[in-house]
Every structure is written in structure tokens, then in C-alpha cells.
Amino acid sequence: MTFSEKIKANYQPKRLAVKLNAKGEQFVVKGHPWVFSNSIVKINDDAKTGDLAIIFSKNKNKVIALGLFDANSPIRIKIIHNSQEKVEVNSAFFHHKIEKAFTLRQPLLQTNTNSYRLLFGENDGFPGLIADVYDKVLVVKLYSEIWLPYIETIIPSLQQISKAETVVVRLSRSLENSSNHQLKDGDVIYGELHNEVVEFVEHDVKFSAHVIKGHKTGYFLDHRANRKQVGEWSKNKTVLDVFSYAGGFSVHALYNGAKEVTSLDISKQALEVAVQNGKLNDYIGTHKTIAGDAFEALKQLIKDKKTFDVVVIDPPSFAKQASEIDLAKKKYAQLAQLGEQLTAKNGLLVLASCSSRVVPQAFFDINKQVLLDSNRIFNLILKTGHDIDHPVTFPEGEYLKCGYYRFQN
């Protein structure tokens, strides 16, 4: 079965005339990429997922934005063009947007790095679509059916611009369960994949991504700059990497001459990958692993009177919905408290968050209060956010924040 047949590309999207209420229009004019269903005051009755929504201003009947209609989401229209500039939504339109995104990543690609996020969803004008490159393999992850009528014209541009020799399609759970296509998660739709585990380089350090069955697209690229920074500050140090997953921070630390690195994760399988990633590089330090719940394992290390020169705590998102924000904040406070107790005299504690619902100021305030309560003297020596291939163009698009706390006692 061809790619066209799998995506049932015979559906031709219609054009929809849309008007919004004052609040919805204001958001769109300011550049926000989401239109919620309760903002729509006028739309065609027969609107289907993937249809092109042409949003008119309420009073002057000017086109203010173009978006894709999503019947299955409370975010009913996802904006792909936020301007009064007249455009035709076709293969050339998408190609130009991908070229623009690729140009933005050029400073990163001037380093010894061949893994990067080519498209970062809404932030690059492709809501519900992610494209990551691992050496010569391009992994496209679809989170919304809005792209089914267009993906056949988008993928050749992605492949051409990234110079990928292989293209893999990954699907979100909702798309996996959809009956509107015959794609399977992990389908190789261009070229050949000789090994599901793809090796790549990140700032001189070798890693691997499981592009068929790994989380997201096979690896987490967003912390690249932080991994490099931690590595540079780990020479001759003992390092604890909490929620290590595939060992990103651990491997950079080993590569940069850490004396001993301990990777801690609940998944034994992830720890095996972390060890293998380490072995892709030359290092002389010791790589230890601890499999278990992070909170319990950290308490046990404290009980055993263990300390480390560098402690990195990078948990998964704790607040995927608004109702989880308060609990997430408590968990961040608890991790800061545990991390402080495990950080040696004159040591470095690195605390990170990828919960977009916990805003940066709240996260840094939590850490500051916990560390002040510890009565240790510390300095916040560095605050970081997104790397260059994860640009932020709207408030909800910002999720990653990281603080480096240096203790003086």
C-alpha cells in the first residue's frame, strides 16, 4: 500500500469562512496559534477536520489568519498563517515555512551536531506536527488529523531540506486509534531503515535514538544545550543524573571526564540504553545505574549519606492539566529539597522543569525558597530555556526551564 493510500489523501479540504468573537479575534491578531470552539461565532455547518479555515475580522471583513479546522479538539482551529499577507496554501507555502525553520537552526548545525528539531509544532507554524532529524533519518510525528490532507506534500519538502535518506512517521495515541487513515506508528515511508536504533552526534558526543518505538520521536533533543553545559562542568566530578532516561546528562558528563556518574531512572530498559549510549564514546570514569522510583531512591541515598559534586534533576512533566499544577509545585519543591541534601559542599545542583503549566517564575521561586530554607549559601549562576531548535513564539509554547545552583558550603 502506498503512502497516499495509507493516508486516504483523496479527501479534498474545503475552505471555511470563519468569524470569531472579540476576545478570540484579539488573540489571533496578537499572534496566538489557537482558536477555541467557544471563540467561534460563525463557521460553515459542514466543516470537517483538515478544512482550511479563513478567519475574517469581525468588522472590516479582512482576512486576519488562516488555520486548519480540527473537529476532534477544543482547540477547534489551529493557525498556520497569522498575517493579512495574502498567500495560497499549497506545497510551495509549506516548503517556504520549512526553509525558514531550517535557516533558524543553522547556528546549531555549524557545530558538530547532526540531530535537531526541524519543526517545533505551533512555534514553526505547524501545530500538531513535529519533525526531528537524527543524522540521515527524519522522524515526523503527527498529533492531529488536520495534517492528513497535506502531509503528502509536506514530507517531500522536509526530506529534501533536511537531506534525509529515510523518513519514519510516528503517531500520537489518538491518531493510532483513528480510522481515518491506515498509517501505523513507526511506518517507514521513504528510503530504508537498516537499524531501528539510529546513531547521531550532539556537540561531539555520540548517542542513539530508537526511532520506531522510543518515546516521542526516539530521543529528547530539547535539553541539548544543558547537557553540554553540565558536561563541561563535570570534569573530575561525581555526578548524579536523576530521571536519566537514555543518559543524556550522564553521557555528556562521562565524555567530559567525570570521575563517576550515577544514572537513576525507574525504567531498567532506559538505563540499559544509557549505558549503551555511554559506550558509544571513549571515557575513563565509572558509570553506575540505579533502577527505581526517583523520590524513594533519593531518600535512600540521603539515608546512606551519599553526596555528589553535580546533581541533575530533570523530571517528566508533572502538570499535563490545570488540575495538576498544585501537586506539580509540591513535587518540584520536594525534588529541590532532596537534591540539595545530595549536593556536596561547593557542589552544583541543576533543577529542570518541562511542565508548561508551571511558569518559569513560579518554578524558580519554588527552588529559591527551598534552598533558602536549607540555610546553605548558594548562587543561581545560570538560568536557561529552550535551545535554538525549539523556538518559542507564544506563551504556552514555552515549557523548558533550568536553573543551576552553586553552593558555597
Side-chain angles (χ1 to χ4, degrees), residues 78-97:
K78 298 176 170 74
I79 303 297
I80 59 171
H81 180 71
N82 204 312
S83 166
Q84 292 183 24
E85 175 199 353
K86 194 174 179 183
V87 294
E88 191 66 38
V89 176
N90 52 24
S91 57
F93 168 80
F94 291 120
H95 190 88
H96 174 71
K97 287 169 80 70

Side-chain angles (χ1 to χ4, degrees), residues 241-250 262-265 270-271 274 290 314:
D241 179 8
V242 188
F243 302 101
S244 61
Y245 182 53
F249 288 99
S250 301
T262 303
S263 300
L264 194 169
D265 200 275
L271 290 171
I290 299 173
D314 174 35

Side-chain angles (χ1 to χ4, degrees), residues 281-308:
N281 304 275
D282 294 326
Y283 66 88
I284 55 172
T286 306
H287 192 182
K288 297 180 175 181
T289 61
I290 299 173
D293 174 81
F295 292 88
E296 295 308 314
L298 293 180
K299 286 172 189 171
Q300 186 60 50
L301 286 168
I302 291 166
K303 200 174 168 184
D304 295 341
K305 294 187 165 44
K306 288 274 192 182
T307 59
F308 302 83

